[in-house]
């Protein structure tokens, strides 16, 4: 069953853009992500002025709703990463849920997801399917090992990526074992190129001065 709620802003204070118009105002982003890498990316887009619509699965929502610390029964972790966004739930396993997503894609600029590679294809919401509804759509897929290649089917968290990249080997003390960095650097930089991608597409679309 699809559960739909009004697109009200999630709790969290928005940055008011003291310097005037924000660079991504007028851009609409569909956020299909969860936990950290994706939500952090879309949080930055919201801070830069984009309209971000976060879509969660009915019943459970984003996994990070269960991450502490908590205040008044709500996750501070979740609220921080999803500030300034709008929210709704859709069951993307049902035709009705997918149709609502397609309708949103038609009037949006960007879709960001961090499902395990192959999941969007199984759901019928992969790049080819979504671009059929909006040929100008930019889609960002965040995963540990890319969308193709020998390791692409493996899930990954930031700790795994830090270990396999060698980053942990240069962190810590000389006589200690490899140590994870204090922040999730991989997760927090995974989608950082999206604002530039949108800007570059707009630049190329502008007419060349005569």
């Amino acid at each position: 069953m699809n559960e739909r709620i009004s697109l009200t802003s999630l709790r969290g204070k928005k940055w008011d853009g003291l310097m005037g118009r924000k660079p991504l105002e007028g851009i609409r982003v569909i956020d299909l992500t969860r936990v950290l890498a994706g939500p952090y990316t879309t949080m930055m887009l919201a801070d830069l002025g984009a309209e971000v619509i976060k879509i969660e699965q009915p019943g459970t929502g984003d996994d990070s709703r269960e991450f502490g610390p908590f205040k008044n029964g709500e996750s501070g972790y979740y609220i921080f990463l999803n500030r300034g966004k709008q929210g709704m739930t859709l069951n993307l396993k049902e035709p009705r849920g997918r149709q609502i997503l397609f309708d949103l894609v038609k009037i949006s600029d960007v879709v960001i997801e961090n499902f395990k590679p192959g999941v969007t294809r199984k759901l019928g919401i992969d790049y080819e399917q979504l671009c059929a509804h909006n040929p100008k759509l930019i889609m960002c897929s965040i995963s540990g090992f890319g969308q193709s290649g020998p390791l692409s089917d493996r899930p990954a968290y930031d700790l795994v990526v830090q270990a396999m990249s060698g980053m942990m080997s240069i962190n810590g003390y000389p006589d200690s074992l490899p140590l994870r960095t204090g922040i999730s650097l991989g997760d927090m930089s995974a989608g950082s190129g999206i604002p530039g991608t949108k800007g570059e597409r707009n630049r190329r679309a502008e007419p060349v001065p005569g």
Side-chain angles (χ1 to χ4, degrees):
M1 178 179 179
N2 292 307
E3 181 182 349
R4 199 172 184 185
I5 61 175
S6 59
L7 298 179
T8 54
S9 294
L10 295 170
R11 184 171 300 177
K13 186 176 181 180
K14 293 183 178 180
W15 174 58
D16 292 326
L18 298 179
M19 301 302 291
R21 180 179 173 85
K22 298 179 185 179
L24 295 183
E25 283 185 16
I27 303 301
R28 181 176 290 118
V29 178
I30 304 300
D31 179 2
L32 298 175
T33 69
R34 61 205 184 283
V35 188
L36 178 55
Y40 187 83
T41 298
T42 52
M43 179 195 75
M44 290 192 294
L45 298 181
D47 286 349
L48 290 170
E51 176 190 1
V52 179
I53 303 174
K54 183 179 178 70
I55 296 176
E56 301 178 61
Q57 63 181 2
T60 57
D62 189 326
D63 300 356
S64 67
R65 286 180 177 273
E66 303 300 321
F67 297 175
F70 296 94
K71 184 172 183 179
N72 299 325
E74 296 184 276
S75 165
Y77 182 105
Y78 173 86
I79 292 173
F80 166 72
L81 288 172
N82 294 286
R83 65 174 186 248
K85 303 176 186 179
Q86 302 184 73
M88 64 187 301
T89 60
L90 286 178
N91 186 345
L92 297 175
K93 295 180 180 179
E94 293 187 358
R96 177 58 178 158
R98 290 192 295 273
Q99 186 56 55
I100 293 172
L101 175 64
F102 296 152
D103 290 342
L104 286 170
V105 165
K106 292 175 184 177
I107 56 172
S108 299
D109 302 282
V110 180
V111 170
I112 302 182
E113 59 89 10
N114 64 346
F115 293 107
K116 182 180 176 182
V119 171
T120 56
R121 185 173 297 276
K122 290 179 181 177
L123 290 173
I125 59 169
D126 58 348
Y127 178 74
E128 289 74 15
Q129 292 286 338
L130 297 186
C131 279
H133 297 275
N134 182 352
K136 294 184 178 181
L137 184 73
I138 294 173
M139 186 167 183
C140 172
S141 295
I142 300 173
S143 62
F145 303 102
Q147 299 297 301
S148 61
L151 300 180
S152 62
D153 62 341
R154 296 187 181 183
Y157 279 92
D158 186 85
L159 176 61
V160 175
V161 174
Q162 286 197 31
M164 294 186 68
S165 69
M167 180 183 294
M168 290 171 58
S169 69
I170 59 172
N171 189 47
Y173 300 95
D175 58 348
S176 71
L177 294 172
L179 185 66
R180 177 188 180 278
T181 61
I183 61 174
S184 300
L185 288 176
D187 281 341
M188 296 172 71
S189 60
S192 58
I194 285 295
T197 301
K198 178 60 180 172
E200 176 66 10
R201 194 190 72 178
N202 288 347
R203 184 188 68 79
R204 292 183 180 183
E206 294 175 356
V208 177

